[in-house]
Amino acid sequence: CISSAASDVYKRQVGMTGIVTEKIDGEYGEVKVDGKKWTAYSDEQIDVHEKVKVLQINGVKLKVKKEGK
């Protein structure tokens, strides 16, 4: 079980922007948000170096979308 303090740290990622470090293409990719690397997924293909916005966190995976969409 994640402690309340740790849970708040994770929730803080929602709404933040990051950069794709491993292409997201139907499966999981990787993003860097707030200096940390996260496994990420999206409803769209997102290439390396594109900026993304964090929509939600599911466990230790982030759902993201291209920034500006």
Side-chain angles (χ1 to χ4, degrees), residues 2 5 13 17-18 20 26 32-33 36 40 43 50 56 61-62 65:
I2 297 176
Q13 305 302 317
T17 57
V20 176
K32 192 170 191 177
V33 178
K36 297 175 187 72
D43 294 332
E50 288 198 65
Q56 65 187 70
K61 295 177 176 72
L62 302 180
K65 70 173 185 172

Side-chain angles (χ1 to χ4, degrees), residues 3-50:
S3 72
S4 180
S7 179
D8 289 345
V9 169
Y10 287 135
K11 288 178 186 173
R12 188 175 61 116
Q13 305 302 317
V14 175
M16 294 184 84
T17 57
I19 191 93
V20 176
T21 57
E22 187 179 298
K23 184 178 180 178
I24 302 169
D25 187 12
E27 289 287 321
Y28 294 107
E30 189 177 79
V31 297
K32 192 170 191 177
V33 178
D34 197 26
K36 297 175 187 72
K37 288 188 176 182
W38 294 82
T39 298
Y41 62 98
S42 180
D43 294 332
E44 59 189 336
Q45 177 179 309
I46 309 175
D47 293 321
V48 174
H49 303 300
E50 288 198 65

